[in-house]
Amino acid sequence: MTGPRNWLTTALARLLAGIAIVVPAALLLGASPAAAHPMPHSVVRLDVYRTSVAARLELPADEFTRASGIDLTGATTATLPARAAAIRAYLVRHIHPVTARGRAWRVTVGALSLSRSRQTSTGSYRELTAQAVLAPPAGADVRHFTFDYDVIVHQVVTHVVLVTVRQDWAAGRVDGKGTTQVGTIELDTRHMTVPPLKVDLGAGSAWRGFVAMVGLGGNHILTGTDHLLFLLILLLPAPLAATGGRWNGLVGAGSALARIGRITLAFTVGHSVALAATAVGRLQIPSRPVEAFIAVSILVGAVHAIRPLFPGREAVVAGVFGLGHGMAFSFVLAEMHLSTGQLATSLLGFNLGIELVQLLLVCLALPSLLVLARLRPQPALRVTGAALTAVAALGWLADRLGLPNPVARTADSAGAHTTLLLAALALTALTAATWALAARLRTRTRPDIGPAARTPEPPLSRLPAGRGGRRPS
């Protein structure tokens, strides 16, 4: 009896021992190494230009130290230059883009910086950022190449590199927001090699670049609170007549429409000329003085809406200040490093987008401007709107002269609510148009007013004090 019992006991013991070994082994082999020891991945962000590709390398500093042997443990922004030469040499050795036929590209590594970053799975960590330029041989295609890259991953076998495209004019990616993933680079555990990534960005076209620039121009004027506010504040007193240094009375509807048209056209001509001259001439203009000039233009417009500074000459002022706004628009194109042909196409598309959205906004604001001028609380509403605009302009001016403040931040944040802005303008325009139509219908259907009695109402400026209600101030 003891033999079978010993045999059964031994068999059970061996089975349990096998399970104890096999199950943990299976779990360890089947689990992702990154799941057991989460570590941040690298990101390579590509900006594709006509004759080169700019790459922004975002590298976890600890993994970089482990792979390269260049100690960044105690490095700071101040001490990083001492290690810059070694870092650049290491990166150049491990970045090898080549054409489809195997011809090598030239790799140049530029600015380096250290900062803190965060990824969802790993939390906060130190990151080394490097800017590189990848230049193909003459005549080679920048849209199709092999990206042989093994920074960090050649030593840290669990490391993963995400390769994305941030800007690609020919593919219609021009806003610099968001990225499109091209692929990943990681160790092939079967062959213990790091396979190069085949980059295929498609054909691209000038038409896609043009359409994207139209959208970028429209979005720029719509989200550029300062540009929009300048135009609207100049249009605000357009239906009013100026006498004795005050806004006092109304001009006819035809005159008001003509003023609004001249102001809008002059602003368009001013910023279009400056945009074209600055972009085509590739002029390097410092942004801070231009941005401060724009804040001053808004402040002048706000004061003019309260008390007339240049009545009848609003179009001239709009054209002059429009030059500064056009220079600011050109900064967007300057950052894109476009070829001459791409620049010409982009200039046309970008300006067209600005004008289309500008025309839409003026059309939406027009009914409200005409109706507001005829309402009794018009002076109070106009002065309040102009005062708020002046406060925003002063906040922007201080911020652009190096004094950040909450007023500027609040004013800038208004550009993030474009849908709400358009909805409010559309609703106001509909309400104003309905009110004007109802007033006209009431006048026509009143039985006590015959055709001969319907004479035009004189402008408020001609009414003596005490008649027809208060005059606009």
Side-chain angles (χ1 to χ4, degrees):
M1 296 296 293
T2 57
R5 288 181 180 176
N6 290 338
W7 174 85
L8 180 60
T9 302
T10 302
L12 288 174
R14 289 176 178 176
L15 177 62
L16 292 174
I19 292 173
I21 294 171
V22 171
V23 171
L27 291 174
L28 289 172
L29 292 173
S32 167
H37 301 284
M39 63 177 60
H41 54 255
S42 296
V43 178
V44 178
R45 304 185 191 276
L46 304 178
D47 291 336
V48 183
Y49 304 127
R50 188 171 181 270
T51 58
S52 65
V53 176
R56 174 185 168 92
L57 314 179
E58 299 172 0
L59 312 168
D62 290 344
E63 282 69 30
F64 180 85
T65 294
R66 192 183 313 168
S68 66
I70 302 171
D71 188 10
L72 297 181
T73 304
T76 63
T77 302
T79 61
L80 188 61
R83 301 169 173 84
I87 292 172
R88 292 190 179 102
Y90 168 81
L91 292 175
V92 169
R93 287 197 303 271
H94 293 275
I95 303 174
H96 300 106
V98 296
T99 67
R101 296 184 177 181
R103 299 168 62 197
W105 290 31
R106 186 177 70 257
V107 177
T108 305
V109 179
L112 304 172
S113 63
L114 279 170
S115 62
R116 297 208 66 83
S117 187
R118 173 179 292 273
Q119 292 176 10
T120 304
S121 61
T122 61
S124 178
Y125 63 95
R126 295 174 73 241
E127 182 176 81
L128 171 66
T129 301
Q131 306 291 344
V133 176
L134 317 179
D141 186 6
V142 298
R143 308 191 62 77
H144 303 86
F145 60 95
T146 299
F147 193 38
D148 189 358
Y149 175 101
D150 65 353
V151 176
I152 296 180
V153 70
H154 74 292
Q155 289 291 336
V156 184
V157 297
T158 56
H159 196 69
V160 176
V161 183
L162 303 183
V163 182
T164 64
V165 172
R166 181 176 57 179
Q167 180 175 304
D168 183 358
W169 184 91
R173 294 197 59 86
V174 296
D175 58 2
K177 298 177 181 177
T179 57
T180 300
Q181 186 163 326
V182 175
T184 60
I185 298 174
E186 55 189 323
L187 181 72
D188 180 354
T189 54
R190 290 186 60 188
H191 302 92
M192 297 307 291
T193 60
V194 181
L197 177 67
K198 300 289 185 181
V199 177
D200 183 354
L201 303 178
S205 68
W207 172 250
R208 295 177 70 179
F210 172 78
V211 172
M213 291 306 298
V214 172
L216 184 63
N219 185 68
H220 193 70
I221 190 70
L222 192 59
T223 58
T225 316
D226 48 358
H227 303 297
L228 181 58
L229 204 55
F230 171 72
L231 181 60
L232 292 180
I233 200 64
L234 271 188
L235 296 179
L236 182 60
L240 304 178
T243 56
R246 298 166 64 89
W247 294 114
N248 188 17
L250 303 173
V251 299
S255 298
L257 288 173
R259 280 187 183 179
I260 292 172
R262 288 195 299 269
I263 292 171
T264 305
L265 179 61
F267 181 63
T268 297
V269 171
H271 73 64
S272 297
V273 168
L275 172 60
T278 308
V280 173
R282 302 184 185 271
L283 302 178
Q284 300 294 324
I285 300 176
S287 61
R288 178 168 288 187
V290 173
E291 297 294 345
F293 178 78
I294 291 173
V296 170
S297 73
I298 300 168
L299 180 60
V300 171
V303 174
H304 177 67
I306 298 173
R307 286 288 185 272
L309 300 178
F310 35 84
R313 298 189 297 277
E314 290 87 354
V316 176
V317 174
V320 171
F321 281 131
L323 296 173
H325 288 254
M327 292 179 189
F329 292 151
S330 71
F331 296 151
V332 177
L333 300 182
E335 295 171 355
M336 299 176 68
H337 307 287
L338 301 171
S339 66
T340 302
Q342 289 176 337
L343 181 59
T345 303
S346 298
L347 187 59
L348 177 61
F350 188 71
N351 208 47
L352 178 61
I354 290 174
E355 305 317 327
L356 288 175
V357 173
Q358 182 176 284
L359 180 61
L360 171 65
L361 294 172
V362 170
C363 289
L364 289 177
L366 185 59
S368 304
L369 292 172
L370 296 178
V371 170
L372 174 64
R374 286 160 173 77
L375 297 180
R376 189 175 297 274
Q378 175 271 130
L381 293 174
R382 171 173 50 82
V383 170
T384 300
L388 291 174
T389 300
V391 170
L394 288 171
W396 275 321
L397 182 59
D399 180 70
R400 294 165 186 183
L401 292 178
L403 299 172
N405 59 86
V407 173
R409 289 193 294 271
T410 302
D412 285 331
S413 67
H417 306 287
T418 54
T419 303
L420 182 61
L421 170 65
L422 288 174
L425 283 174
L427 180 61
T428 306
L430 180 61
T431 303
T434 303
W435 183 90
L437 181 60
R440 182 177 292 273
L441 290 175
R442 283 197 304 269
T443 302
R444 288 184 175 180
T445 56
R446 284 179 59 184
D448 57 326
I449 300 181
R454 297 190 196 112
T455 56
E457 183 179 346
L460 295 183
S461 59
R462 297 181 183 176
L463 294 177
R467 294 179 57 193
R470 291 189 307 162
R471 297 180 183 176
S473 60

